[in-house]
Amino acid sequence: MRYSALSLLGNAFSENKNWKPAWRNPDPKPHYDVIIIGGGGHGLATAYYLSKVFGMRNVAVLEKGYLGSGNIGRNTTIIRSNYLLEGNNPFYEFSMKLWEGLEQDFNFNAMVSQRGVVNLFHSDAQRDAYTRRGNAMRLHGVDAELLGRDQLREKLPFLDYENARFPIMGGLMQARGGTVRHDAVAWGFARGADQNGVDIIQNCEVTGIDREGDQITGVQTTRGAITCNKLAMAVAGSSSHVAKMVDMRLPIESHALQAFVSEGLKPFIDTVVTFGAGHFYVSQSDKGGLVFGGDIEGYNSYAQRGNLACVEYVAEAGMAMIPALSRVRILRSWGGIMDMSMDGSPIMDRTHLSNLYFNGGWCYGGFKATPASGYCFAHLLATDTPHETATAFRMDRFARGYLLDEKGVGAQANLH
């Protein structure tokens, strides 16, 4: 069914009893041309573009849980393309352009809200760094505006501009940045891929990978063995664990990142704001809750939870930026697992096995990259060549010394 005003009206008159499931629940077939391990945002987006753009329909997505149970349902929904380096800027801008047309493309309301993203700066040195990043963005055709303190005070009056330690001097704004409803992204890509013939198989954990020499022949799963021509890994949070099944060691560590939602408040933040003196970012959901987060946990973990020390650290950073937060109650928190690469940038490449492909190491940038990650990974799978915006994400850059060390992805990503 294609969603439209007419379909909404028709279902309203039938008391909403005739809605169909957005995607099928098929049993796995014995063989697929491509198997994608991981039914998160990147895996589903890969399947969607692989089927729609490159015409590959005999494709399966294997998800060990239910759709939305991984990182796609555990993030703070922010999208932006305010990157500095040549290797990152075109890719994230490509992703932003896909976000801007996504709802029309897959006929699903993902609540794309381009409310703007402001990065605060607190010193002359930080202002110069943001000026450089803004200039790099404009040279690539990306919108960027450097706001002074008075401009910012008019827009965001609730910030602590006179903080003795971290006075706010201004901010770098990308007006096209904003937020997207994260689980709707998963549902929209799943629906689109399913309509193109992709089998999305939930509750199907991969327990082993079969190979003959340097060729992958299939996978062992909790729902039986499945053979394939090509195998793609898109399992952010579990990349090292799955790669170990083929004796592949990745330059990745896994850490938990917590996110938080407050009680509902009247609207007072109409953009996304990030604290430049620490690591804190906040926006307000359509239901009124503040959605915010900060740094990752300092220890390696696959547990989807964090500890109270990090809660205190994030809350302190938020209080330094918005003192009024001291009166706000936090209702809930959750944790997602971050694949932290050693330079803070992702990896998307073929592997040492001829028909095994890897997509991971997204650090703080996974959600905002979802559509471009899916498109570029589908391009790699279909053509065996990297997409023009993803050529810097090669696996061997750590050995060659061509690191993509981008501070724009989060605080001190290179130190993890």
Side-chain angles (χ1 to χ4, degrees):
M1 174 184 292
R2 182 169 180 79
Y3 297 140
S4 65
L6 189 60
S7 69
L8 288 173
L9 189 62
N11 279 283
F13 279 114
S14 64
E15 299 181 342
N16 291 308
K17 295 179 179 176
N18 297 319
W19 289 109
K20 305 295 183 187
W23 57 85
R24 298 168 294 124
N25 189 26
D27 292 324
K29 293 189 291 191
H31 177 82
Y32 291 95
D33 293 335
V34 178
I35 288 177
I36 300 168
I37 307 176
H42 291 213
L44 293 170
T46 301
Y48 174 72
Y49 291 115
L50 200 58
S51 57
K52 179 182 179 181
V53 178
F54 300 98
M56 299 183 72
R57 304 299 176 94
N58 188 26
V59 176
V61 177
L62 308 183
E63 167 56 42
K64 73 175 181 179
Y66 59 89
L67 296 191
S69 60
N71 287 348
I72 189 64
R74 294 171 175 271
N75 61 77
T76 49
T77 76
I78 298 170
I79 61 171
R80 57 184 175 85
S81 60
N82 53 356
Y83 282 75
L84 169 69
L85 299 182
E86 293 276 353
N88 277 329
N89 194 304
F91 173 83
Y92 284 98
E93 177 59 12
F94 178 48
S95 196
M96 181 61 73
K97 289 176 178 175
L98 290 174
W99 282 121
E100 290 173 328
L102 188 68
E103 292 166 311
Q104 290 74 25
D105 183 38
F106 62 21
N107 183 230
F108 199 89
N109 181 13
M111 300 174 70
V112 176
S113 173
Q114 292 182 280
R115 61 185 68 181
V117 173
V118 178
N119 301 136
L120 304 178
F121 57 80
H122 308 264
S123 67
D124 291 341
Q126 200 171 27
R127 178 202 58 209
D128 293 346
Y130 281 16
T131 301
R132 182 177 175 228
R133 176 146 51 114
N135 288 338
M137 291 165 61
R138 285 189 285 270
L139 285 171
H140 284 93
V142 182
D143 65 304
E145 182 180 6
L146 201 68
L147 303 177
R149 178 185 296 193
D150 291 341
Q151 291 172 285
L152 210 55
R153 194 190 295 271
E154 184 175 346
K155 183 175 179 58
L156 302 168
F158 47 82
L159 301 179
D160 186 5
Y161 291 88
E162 310 303 330
N163 186 298
R165 292 183 66 193
F166 313 116
I168 297 171
M169 300 174 64
L172 178 65
M173 178 161 186
Q174 184 184 22
R176 290 165 57 237
T179 62
V180 181
R181 178 73 185 181
H182 47 63
D183 42 13
V185 175
W187 300 334
F189 276 126
R191 176 174 175 271
D194 179 84
Q195 290 180 335
N196 292 334
V198 173
D199 283 353
I200 299 169
I201 305 169
Q202 302 177 76
N203 301 308
C204 181
E205 182 178 0
V206 172
T207 57
I209 297 175
D210 299 327
R211 56 188 284 192
E212 293 179 0
D214 69 345
Q215 284 277 328
I216 299 295
T217 58
V219 293
Q220 298 291 326
T221 78
T222 51
R223 299 184 63 176
I226 312 172
T227 61
C228 63
N229 297 337
K230 293 184 176 180
L231 183 63
M233 291 172 50
V235 287
S238 298
S239 295
S240 299
H241 176 68
V242 177
K244 192 176 180 181
M245 295 180 184
V246 288
D247 301 321
M248 185 165 64
R249 186 179 180 189
L250 299 170
I252 283 175
E253 293 181 352
S254 298
H255 298 250
L257 175 67
Q258 294 189 76
F260 307 88
V261 175
S262 78
E263 61 185 325
L265 304 171
K266 291 181 178 179
F268 82 106
I269 300 179
D270 61 357
T271 186
V272 180
V273 189
T274 73
F275 186 46
H279 195 197
F280 178 82
Y281 39 92
V282 63
S283 64
Q284 190 166 18
S285 75
D286 295 327
K287 293 189 291 186
L290 301 181
V291 183
F292 56 95
D295 264 334
I296 60 173
E297 302 284 349
Y299 55 89
N300 295 356
S301 175
Y302 290 117
Q304 290 180 318
R305 61 180 181 272
N307 62 36
L308 289 175
C310 200
V311 176
E312 182 181 20
Y313 175 80
V314 172
E316 285 177 346
M319 289 275 293
M321 189 176 86
I322 310 174
L325 291 183
S326 64
R327 307 294 296 276
V328 176
R329 295 179 178 85
I330 297 175
L331 292 189
R332 60 190 176 93
S333 67
W334 64 92
I337 305 303
M338 309 270 282
D339 279 352
M340 300 301 295
S341 67
M342 296 301 102
D343 62 355
S345 293
I347 301 167
M348 187 185 301
D349 202 357
R350 303 179 68 175
T351 70
H352 66 293
L353 299 172
S354 60
N355 58 344
L356 177 64
Y357 303 76
F358 178 77
N359 180 353
W362 288 94
C363 302
Y364 292 90
F367 179 70
K368 66 182 73 64
T370 300
S373 169
Y375 194 106
C376 294
F377 200 35
H379 185 283
L380 179 65
L381 282 161
T383 68
D384 280 329
T385 57
H387 187 266
E388 60 182 351
T389 65
T391 55
F393 301 158
R394 298 292 302 278
M395 180 89 73
D396 64 351
R397 67 177 185 269
F398 301 95
R400 294 183 291 114
Y402 285 85
L403 302 185
L404 197 56
D405 195 352
E406 170 77 69
K407 282 288 187 70
V409 301
Q412 298 179 317
N414 59 322
L415 297 183
H416 296 299

